[in-house]
Amino acid sequence: MLVGSPRVFDRADDLMRPVMDGEVGMERKTSGESGLARALRIIEAFTSEQTTLTVAEIARRADLPVSTTYRLVGEMLSHGVLTKAEDGYVLGMRLWELATRGSKTVGLSRAARPYIEDLQHTFGQHAQLAVLEGTDVLYVDRRSAERGAVVNIIDVASRLPARLSSSGMVLAAYADYVTQRRILSSPVEQLTANTPIEPERLKLLWAEIRRQGFCRADGWMEDDVSSVASPVRDMSGVVAAVSLFLPNDGKAPRAAIPAVQMAAAGISRALGWRPSQHPR
């Protein structure tokens, strides 16, 4: 239930508003930030694993003084950006409402959904749509499989370093030079023996992706999981990537490549792209 008054806090730790050790120094450190920047840090404190947080937990995760957090949480409650829950606070529906009004991902997801659903239904595996956000790949839509599917690595609104996933590598392959340099210099953990981390290998893979029109990532994040991705275009160029997670058995990824490419082409046509606009 949304709390109407910004001064209503149920938990004892919220009412007490303790001054944490070092809070004065922290106040100085954040004093140059705008209110918007601090509010964004509070929003970013919530994750898919931690959807409910107390004021003290928000302050710690956002690296803000408790007193500042207390005040901002009250303001965000009054605007519906946060909502009071039984054990703390959750992100409010107002955020979803604002985010879906004019986001370019809304039209993209709408165009892609029938094709993603077809991939998921045909192969019985997780299918998803992703865009490039800085040096990360951001998953904006997904259709999950139930029985017999490989491990669920990501979800909607999840991020991964672009160089770790097939979708990210497709988007990086068609990115501009500056973005590619940033991706090459971004830190990344070698999750398996197959994870490509050497810059020269990444450059070769990007060239191969541009030549073939797809990326196949066998065991990059999990030894027993493979993924296949292909670029989605609109009239401006590559704007997204559609991908499918599969068992890393050699046969399944190879069989899925044409279907993933056809799905990407279908989404691209729905977005107004025509092959003559970008000849091979």
Side-chain angles (χ1 to χ4, degrees), residues 116 119 125-130 139-144 152 154 166-167 227-228 241-245 267:
I116 295 176
L119 283 175
Q125 300 291 344
H126 310 301
Q128 46 276 319
L129 181 74
Y139 292 89
V140 297
D141 207 346
R142 174 178 173 83
R143 288 298 174 266
S144 297
N152 186 356
I154 57 93
S166 59
S167 292
S227 64
V228 175
V242 61
S243 64
L244 186 67
F245 287 148
I267 300 169

Side-chain angles (χ1 to χ4, degrees), residues 38-239:
R38 297 182 188 186
L40 286 174
R41 287 168 67 175
I42 288 176
I43 293 171
E44 290 172 346
F46 294 87
T47 67
S48 57
E49 291 78 24
Q50 293 289 330
T51 58
T52 304
L53 298 172
T54 66
V55 166
E57 290 170 334
I58 293 171
R60 184 175 65 253
R61 285 169 168 261
D63 195 22
L64 290 170
V66 172
S67 57
T68 300
T69 305
Y70 177 87
R71 174 176 57 80
L72 288 173
V73 165
E75 293 179 11
M76 294 167 79
L77 276 171
S78 68
H79 290 287
V81 177
L82 295 179
T83 300
K84 190 73 176 70
E86 182 178 352
D87 298 324
Y89 304 91
V90 298
L91 295 177
M93 291 296 292
R94 181 68 171 160
L95 276 180
W96 172 85
E97 177 188 354
L98 294 173
T100 55
R101 279 185 183 175
S103 173
K104 64 181 181 180
T105 62
V106 175
L108 181 61
S109 295
R110 188 180 296 117
R113 195 159 296 141
Y115 299 93
I116 295 176
E117 289 175 349
D118 282 349
L119 283 175
Q120 187 275 320
H121 178 74
T122 300
F123 291 91
Q125 300 291 344
H126 310 301
Q128 46 276 319
L129 181 74
V131 297
L132 192 64
E133 184 75 8
T135 61
D136 294 335
V137 60
L138 176 64
Y139 292 89
V140 297
D141 207 346
R142 174 178 173 83
R143 288 298 174 266
S144 297
E146 298 296 335
R147 299 176 182 177
V150 297
V151 63
N152 186 356
I153 299 175
I154 57 93
D155 207 341
V156 173
S158 295
R159 284 176 178 261
L160 285 173
R163 53 198 290 184
L164 283 182
S165 70
S166 59
S167 292
M169 286 292 285
V170 163
L171 293 165
Y174 292 94
D176 59 76
Y177 175 77
V178 173
T179 300
Q180 288 184 340
R181 295 300 301 173
R182 289 174 179 165
I183 291 172
L184 289 173
S185 60
S186 61
V188 67
E189 180 183 358
Q190 184 161 9
L191 301 179
T192 73
N194 297 315
T195 306
I197 60 172
E198 302 85 0
E200 291 307 314
R201 184 183 175 195
L202 292 173
K203 292 177 185 178
L204 289 174
L205 286 171
W206 290 343
E208 185 177 89
I209 291 167
R210 290 191 295 269
R211 185 178 69 254
Q212 296 182 151
F214 69 88
C215 175
R216 174 176 165 179
D218 293 338
W220 287 11
M221 291 184 290
E222 299 278 349
D223 286 322
D224 56 351
V225 177
S226 179
S227 64
V228 175
S230 190
V232 172
R233 296 174 168 88
D234 66 6
M235 290 181 289
S236 66
V238 174
V239 294

